[in-house]
């Protein structure tokens, strides 16, 4: 347990990666979104105004997941940390970061609700579909999304370490082809209304629950791959 905690400390030695860069991206995206909303408001539009800027810090975690393996895994092996301890410690560090972001999003959403969208009817955190189950539901959604995106990066790095760039590239191309085929099938058979209805009925918490399942599956695959990866 002590060595697992030491892995967390090792990952957080460079707080820029896990903490400050996601928060800086979040702050910059928030400021630009509010500026755009204010411009729209001043032009005579009433809103409400919504944007996609809130996802920006989440995608930063994709690269955090990659670097958490590629930059620190070789060092951890030189320090005689087992692969199991490295994996658990890294996941704990990621969870700390995800909890921090989820708390910021939940609190920000409540502030937007209290202030009528910062007084200009503009919403960055409190997206209707996400906050329909309340602040805790929104926090759960953002936590799972943060962990899922981090795990996608970490999983990609483990595949790269174990099998090389060719297989990793082939896998992502295959995922892209499957998504393209799914979009073609939905469009060809005119299933979009059913798909949209299913997503709306599922809600943010329901979608996050499925995202948590995918995160756990990727975590198991990553751990099994990491056991044979070359530092």
């Amino acid at each position: 347990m002590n060595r697992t905690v030491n892995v967390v400390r090792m990952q957080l030695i460079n707080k820029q990666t896990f903490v400050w860069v996601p928060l800086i991206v979040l702050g910059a995206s928030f400021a630009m979104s509010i500026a755009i909303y204010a411009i729209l408001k001043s032009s005579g539009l009433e809103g409400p105004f919504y944007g996609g800027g809130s996802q920006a810090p989440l995608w930063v975690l994709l690269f955090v997941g990659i670097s958490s393996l590629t930059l620190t895994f070789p060092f951890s092996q030189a320090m005689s940390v087992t692969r199991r301890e490295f994996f658990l410690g890294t996941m704990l560090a990621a969870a700390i970061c995800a909890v921090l972001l989820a708390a910021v999003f939940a609190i920000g959403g409540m502030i937007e609700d209290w202030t009528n969208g910062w007084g200009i009817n503009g919403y960055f955190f409190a997206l209707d579909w996400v906050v329909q189950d309340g602040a805790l539901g929104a926090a759960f959604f953002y936590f799972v999304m943060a962990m899922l995106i981090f795990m996608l990066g970490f999983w990609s790095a483990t595949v790269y370490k174990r099998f090389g760039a060719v297989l990793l590239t082939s896998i992502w191309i295959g995922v892209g082809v499957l998504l393209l085929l799914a979009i073609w099938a939905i469009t060809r058979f005119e299933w979009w209304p059913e798909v949209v209805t299913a997503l709306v009925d599922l809600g943010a918490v329901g979608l996050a629950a499925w995202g948590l399942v995918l995160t756990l599956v990727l975590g198991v695959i990553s751990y099994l791959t990491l056991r044979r990866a070359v530092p």
Side-chain angles (χ1 to χ4, degrees):
M1 179 59 69
N2 289 336
R3 293 206 291 183
T4 299
V5 173
N6 287 336
V7 173
V8 177
R9 293 173 178 169
M10 179 181 65
Q11 293 286 11
L12 296 179
I13 286 177
N14 184 4
K15 292 182 175 62
Q16 292 183 12
T17 301
F18 271 88
V19 180
W20 293 118
V21 170
L23 288 179
I24 289 171
V25 172
L26 172 62
S29 180
F30 171 76
M32 288 187 285
S33 296
I34 295 301
I36 293 172
Y37 300 158
I39 292 171
L40 295 174
K41 182 73 172 179
S42 65
S43 68
L45 299 176
E46 294 300 325
F49 307 114
Y50 297 96
S54 58
Q55 65 178 301
L58 298 178
W59 288 110
V60 172
L61 294 180
L62 179 70
F63 303 98
V64 175
I66 295 172
S67 64
S68 68
L69 178 73
T70 56
L71 298 182
T72 59
F73 178 57
F75 179 74
S76 71
Q77 297 305 285
M79 299 296 291
S80 299
V81 173
T82 67
R83 293 166 191 248
R84 177 177 176 274
E85 292 163 344
F86 174 81
F87 178 81
L88 293 177
T90 302
M91 292 304 106
L92 183 55
I96 292 171
C97 180
V99 167
L100 176 62
L101 280 177
V104 169
F105 274 88
I107 294 171
M110 290 188 290
I111 293 174
E112 287 181 341
D113 183 52
W114 296 334
T115 61
N116 189 31
W118 311 102
I120 57 175
N121 207 12
Y123 298 89
F124 180 83
F125 300 103
L127 305 180
D128 273 349
W129 184 71
V130 176
V131 300
Q132 65 182 357
D133 294 311
L136 289 179
F140 175 67
F141 174 82
Y142 284 117
F143 170 79
V144 172
M145 291 301 104
M147 288 299 298
L148 175 58
I149 294 174
F150 174 89
M151 186 58 71
L152 283 172
F154 187 86
W155 166 79
S156 297
T158 59
V159 173
Y160 173 80
K161 279 286 189 179
R162 177 67 178 88
F163 301 105
V166 173
L167 181 61
L168 176 61
T169 303
S170 300
I171 291 174
W172 277 114
I173 291 175
V175 171
V177 171
L178 290 176
L179 289 175
L180 185 61
L181 289 174
I183 293 172
W184 173 83
I186 294 171
T187 303
R188 172 66 177 79
F189 297 104
E190 300 180 350
W191 290 336
W192 283 113
E194 290 81 1
V195 171
V196 172
T197 300
L199 290 175
V200 171
D201 292 341
L202 191 62
V205 172
L207 182 63
W210 282 107
L212 183 59
V213 172
L214 179 57
T215 302
L216 293 174
V217 170
L218 287 174
V220 171
I221 296 173
S222 298
Y223 174 68
L224 295 177
T225 306
L226 183 65
R227 291 177 63 183
R228 295 183 177 274
V230 178

